[in-house]
Amino acid sequence: MEKIGMEMVVDEIFSRLPAKAVDRFKSLSKYFRKELSTHNFELKHCRRAGNSLQKKLLSLKHESIVVDDIVCGNLEVNTSKTITFPYNIHPSFLRIISSFNGLLLVCNERILCELMLWNPTTGRFKEISDDYFNHRFDRNFDTGGMYFDQFDDLKVLHIKCYRNVGTARVYSRRLDSWRKINFLNESKFASSSYSWSPTTYSGKTIYFMVSNYWFPPGERNIVTFDVISESFSVLCFPERMKVNHCQGHFLTILNKLHVIAVGRADELIADLYKFEHDDWVKDILDYQARQQRTNIIEDWLITSIWGDFVEVDLCNEAFNYLQHVENYNGPKGALFIKTTVSPIESKL
């Protein structure tokens, strides 16, 4: 051990341990607590966990919170575990806004718009709302995301559209405070006619689906947020999705942004597009979807359209591709990885 050195042990051995095992080692000594709570260790542990095909699926049921194992895209049978949210808040009051590096950004709708950072693996949480959050959370007009900035500070982006005014604010875990940033110049997206989706993080960018369900009906926009410059922009939409009335859902596969377009023709059809070289490329794989009213993943993929759940049947080739999905979340469920990332900044 003396020849190897404790730094090598922490970086190469401890970073490969399960998150709960790392937590147990923290209680052994002040040294371990300090070394296993640093930003560098958090990030290294995240990277190793993110490379694994083992994920967790958290589902907010009506009466419970259920966590299932997802291994190589398969929902493992008989692995469901029921967990509780801090303060035993009833699941019906909770809404997931974002999933990032093992943390979930969750809103407690029972108390206006109470935002909380929660690590469901370690159970640690932090309430991050301030006096600004004095309106009830609206899933169509409130959204947000999480990211690490260039200084490895965990940030939370929150967007609020209220009375045709859009406001964007950023929370710093390190400073434990909020600040306002510039929002889009196109104020139309703050209109009550537009609905904002949960977020997806890919390549230093956060993506939102912004949809108009009134006039013109079926209009879809993709709004991006660059986490380095903290600036917003609007991205082009896949051409076919402009023509047909579809719903789009983001996910990341092999570190690349994808969107699933689910629409109606003679039957429900789902197409997969990949974003590369500043353009959308339709994947060669086609998927047929059938209507289901369930929130259990089978053959991996569940999405939704006009309030109904859609189960997407996958051929073997498609399934092998989609087993590498890294990020996919909605208001009542999300994929996450088991990490040691804490909602609270370490003071060690």
Side-chain angles (χ1 to χ4, degrees):
M1 289 294 291
E2 291 180 356
K3 292 181 179 179
I4 296 176
M6 285 307 300
E7 184 177 347
M8 179 70 72
V9 172
V10 170
D11 288 347
E12 298 301 328
I13 297 178
F14 280 54
S15 63
R16 289 178 165 84
L17 294 177
K20 288 188 176 180
V22 173
D23 253 18
R24 289 195 291 268
F25 273 105
K26 287 182 179 180
S27 62
L28 290 180
S29 68
K30 289 183 179 180
Y31 174 82
F32 280 130
R33 183 173 181 81
K34 178 181 178 181
E35 293 300 317
L36 301 179
S37 299
T38 65
H39 295 304
N40 286 339
F41 181 81
E42 277 188 351
L43 293 175
K44 184 165 288 188
H45 191 271
C46 276
R47 282 195 296 269
R48 295 198 189 282
N51 291 332
S52 171
L53 290 179
Q54 298 186 13
K55 306 287 189 297
K56 294 289 184 178
L57 173 67
L58 184 141
S59 303
L60 299 176
K61 310 291 187 180
H62 182 65
E63 295 291 340
S64 61
I65 303 175
V66 176
V67 176
D68 290 288
D69 290 344
I70 305 290
V71 180
C72 296
N74 285 306
L75 179 67
E76 296 289 283
V77 297
N78 301 322
T79 63
S80 294
K81 295 181 180 179
T82 301
I83 64 174
T84 57
F85 194 77
Y87 304 129
N88 289 319
I89 298 173
H90 196 275
S92 61
F93 294 118
L94 300 176
R95 188 168 295 275
I96 298 172
I97 302 177
S98 180
S99 174
F100 177 73
N101 280 8
L103 288 180
L104 298 182
L105 177 62
V106 182
C107 177
N108 174 17
E109 297 180 306
R110 186 177 184 180
I111 307 177
L112 295 178
C113 183
E114 182 183 53
L115 292 185
M116 305 180 76
L117 288 173
W118 177 40
N119 185 324
T121 301
T122 64
R124 294 192 180 91
F125 69 95
K126 180 176 177 59
E127 197 271 315
I128 62 173
S129 302
D130 59 9
D131 293 339
Y132 167 80
F133 295 93
N134 58 359
H135 301 292
R136 287 200 173 276
F137 179 89
D138 190 309
R139 66 184 181 90
N140 293 318
F141 311 126
D142 284 79
T143 190
M146 295 177 283
Y147 60 96
F148 281 112
D149 67 10
Q150 62 267 48
F151 306 108
D152 294 334
D153 183 14
L154 179 70
K155 298 288 186 68
V156 176
L157 169 68
H158 178 258
I159 295 174
K160 175 74 177 179
C161 298
Y162 183 69
R163 294 181 177 178
N164 296 326
V165 176
T167 304
R169 302 171 82 229
V170 171
Y171 170 83
S172 164
R173 183 181 67 170
R174 189 167 296 162
L175 301 177
D176 190 23
S177 62
W178 289 87
R179 60 185 172 83
K180 186 176 178 181
I181 62 173
N182 292 329
F183 190 54
L184 279 169
N185 293 327
E186 298 185 56
S187 59
K188 70 174 186 176
F189 294 142
S191 164
S192 59
S193 300
Y194 288 87
S195 173
W196 288 70
S197 74
T199 62
T200 294
Y201 178 91
S202 177
K204 302 295 183 182
T205 304
I206 295 176
Y207 295 86
F208 306 86
M209 193 78 66
V210 185
S211 308
N212 190 332
Y213 291 101
W214 297 97
F215 185 82
E219 177 195 348
R220 302 286 185 268
N221 302 275
I222 297 175
V223 173
T224 69
F225 176 76
D226 186 297
V227 303
I228 303 300
S229 63
E230 293 188 338
S231 60
F232 292 90
S233 60
V234 180
L235 193 64
C236 65
F237 221 76
E239 200 63 35
R240 175 175 175 178
M241 292 176 64
K242 291 181 180 178
V243 177
N244 296 328
H245 292 174
C246 302
Q247 283 191 324
H249 304 269
F250 289 125
L251 65 163
T252 59
I253 304 174
L254 299 174
N255 296 316
K256 289 187 178 293
L257 180 70
H258 290 67
V259 64
I260 297 171
V262 184
R264 290 187 186 274
D266 295 333
E267 57 186 359
L268 290 175
I269 299 296
D271 292 324
L272 182 68
Y273 293 84
K274 177 169 59 176
F275 188 67
E276 60 181 1
H277 308 305
D278 296 326
D279 196 11
W280 291 101
V281 179
K282 183 180 176 183
D283 196 282
I284 60 172
L285 307 174
D286 289 325
Y287 316 102
Q288 290 187 340
R290 65 176 183 269
Q291 237 174 315
Q292 295 284 336
R293 291 184 179 273
T294 175
N295 56 2
I296 301 298
I297 284 187
E298 183 176 335
D299 287 344
W300 209 96
L301 187 61
I302 285 284
T303 183
S304 64
I305 182 168
W306 292 289
D308 291 327
F309 287 103
V310 174
E311 179 182 326
V312 180
D313 292 327
L314 306 176
C315 64
N316 289 335
E317 186 181 1
F319 182 79
N320 289 333
Y321 185 64
L322 285 174
Q323 71 178 352
H324 297 281
V325 171
E326 297 132 345
N327 192 322
Y328 186 79
N329 67 272
K332 288 296 181 179
L335 283 179
F336 72 94
I337 55 176
K338 298 176 71 172
T339 71
T340 63
V341 177
S342 173
I344 303 170
E345 177 78 5
S346 174
K347 303 300 181 183
L348 296 176

